[in-house]
Amino acid sequence: VGYQAKRLPAVTAGLSDDRTAPASSRVPNPRRRLYYASAHWLHRMQVTRARRIKRAEGPSASGLRIFLYHRVTNDHDELAVTPEAFRAQMEMMLRAGATPTALDEALVALEEGAPGQHVCVTFDDGYHDNLDYAIPVLRDLGIPATIFVPTAVIDGAARLYWYDKAPPTLSWTELRQIGREELFTVGAHSRTHPALQKLTDEAAWDEIAGSRRDLEDRLGRSVTSFAYPAGLQGEREIRMVREAGYRVALTCAPGLNAPGQRPHALHRTPVSRRDSPRMFEARLTGLLDHPWGLQAALKLPTRLRPRARPNA
Ligand SMILES: [Zn+2]
């Protein structure tokens, strides 16, 4: 409301000592164990029930499914899946007949209303284990992926504040090498990973447009995709992302993207370390696209509901 792109000042250039988002503008802790344990329990019941219904409904609808990962490692972390599970999930995706697609191409397919099930793989936050464990599997299987990084964290100017001791992140040199490979792209995930909706217009614009500029400066290539920190966004953020020149922006609202879905508010399907092969299959086939009310009840980022129910 009242936001005018033209009146906004240029994004800031210099770095202060510590640019970590202050407590008042942080995203909710994404590593809450109790939440994931309860969600897992609820999802398992939902899958069992949905399977019975689904059998009568027939095959799942076509569209674009975007998977959301954070870490791929054997470390015990709510944000991690193991390298073994990750490989098994990628192989299952291929076996199921889904077409692995780069995000930009998937958007074109979506705009053209192309039938079939397109699948994109994305990673948020730029953890170093993406390079160690996920990229070798993706290369091996020929699956494209996008890694979204908060640029001030890669600069070393801000911390991943939901960790006491954050795991290592990718360096600019590594990101440049990754971005040079045809399969992989690097996208923006703000500068400091704040809850964008808690910021002033100027600060939100700085995070959104500034992270694009940081990436283009450091990687030497154009940057077309943005992932909202913790998936949190409102109409102001959607407008800013569009005006900053991004072609696509990703939320954490679960669900398939059907033709007509707004490209700056695409849904993503999160993958959890607790997912059994059966649970991953349920995510792939859409059995968990309309989760029961737990997320809403706990007021978590994923509470953002899809605007239109793609299968309805
Ligand atoms: Zn993130």
Side-chain angles (χ1 to χ4, degrees):
V1 183
Y3 153 69
Q4 298 264 319
K6 288 189 190 76
R7 282 196 215 134
L8 291 171
V11 295
T12 56
L15 301 177
S16 55
D17 294 338
D18 185 358
R19 302 183 64 215
T20 303
S24 58
S25 61
R26 291 183 177 183
V27 302
N29 178 8
R31 298 174 69 227
R32 273 171 296 190
R33 201 156 160 226
L34 183 63
Y35 161 69
Y36 286 104
S38 338
H40 176 68
W41 173 78
L42 199 66
H43 286 168
R44 248 179 35 205
M45 289 205 311
Q46 183 174 350
V47 166
T48 307
R49 186 173 164 278
R51 262 168 203 284
R52 281 187 222 121
I53 301 166
K54 201 75 183 175
R55 239 175 259 137
E57 273 182 4
S60 56
S62 70
L64 166 61
R65 183 170 303 283
I66 307 172
F67 281 112
L68 163 60
Y69 289 92
H70 289 90
R71 304 186 63 198
V72 178
T73 168
N74 286 309
D75 286 4
H76 194 83
D77 185 339
E78 290 295 345
L79 293 178
V81 301
T82 65
E84 291 70 27
F86 180 73
R87 176 178 277 275
Q89 288 162 1
M90 293 300 102
E91 286 173 347
M92 183 187 286
M93 203 174 86
L94 296 177
R95 269 202 314 277
T99 312
T101 312
L103 205 46
D104 272 355
E105 291 166 29
L107 183 69
V108 173
L110 194 66
E111 282 166 350
E112 290 171 353
Q117 202 187 16
H118 292 270
V119 183
C120 294
V121 176
T122 66
F123 300 86
D124 279 8
D125 305 336
Y127 298 103
H128 197 276
D129 52 54
N130 296 175
L131 178 60
D132 302 327
Y133 297 109
I135 283 184
V137 172
L138 295 166
R139 266 191 210 123
D140 192 26
L141 301 175
I143 297 174
T146 304
I147 297 179
F148 291 96
V149 300
T151 55
V153 173
I154 305 301
D155 277 343
R159 287 179 298 113
L160 297 175
Y161 49 80
W162 47 94
Y163 288 100
D164 291 330
K165 193 177 181 308
T169 48
L170 294 159
S171 69
W172 285 119
T173 307
E174 287 162 337
L175 286 166
R176 261 192 298 278
Q177 282 162 359
I178 291 168
R180 258 186 236 128
E181 290 188 49
E182 203 174 321
L183 280 178
F184 309 120
T185 49
V186 179
H189 193 37
S190 79
R191 283 178 148 168
T192 68
H193 209 288
L196 292 170
Q197 288 164 294
K198 293 184 181 170
L199 302 182
T200 62
D201 287 352
E202 287 75 10
W205 178 252
D206 185 79
E207 291 282 348
I208 291 169
S211 55
R212 181 162 192 243
R213 203 192 61 181
D214 292 346
L215 276 178
E216 294 191 336
D217 282 354
R218 288 160 178 74
L219 302 180
R221 55 179 62 232
S222 85
V223 170
T224 55
S225 54
F226 185 85
Y228 300 99
L232 297 168
Q233 36 73 36
E235 288 303 320
R236 180 190 70 168
E237 288 70 32
I238 291 174
R239 252 191 337 267
M240 284 187 177
V241 163
R242 197 191 308 119
E243 285 172 26
Y246 296 103
R247 290 190 63 214
V248 277
L250 312 181
T251 70
C252 295
L256 191 71
N257 296 286
Q261 178 67 31
R262 298 198 296 174
H264 297 96
L266 293 181
H267 300 161
R268 276 199 291 184
T269 302
V271 183
S272 156
R273 63 180 276 266
R274 293 165 202 268
D275 284 357
S276 61
R278 196 181 119 137
M279 189 82 91
F280 181 81
E281 190 193 13
R283 295 193 191 281
L284 181 66
T285 55
L287 294 187
L288 286 167
D289 280 353
H290 308 299
W292 290 349
L294 182 75
Q295 282 99 337
L298 297 181
K299 291 193 167 45
L300 283 152
T302 46
R303 77 184 183 280
L304 298 167
R305 286 292 174 91
R307 293 178 73 76
R309 296 195 158 201
N311 293 328

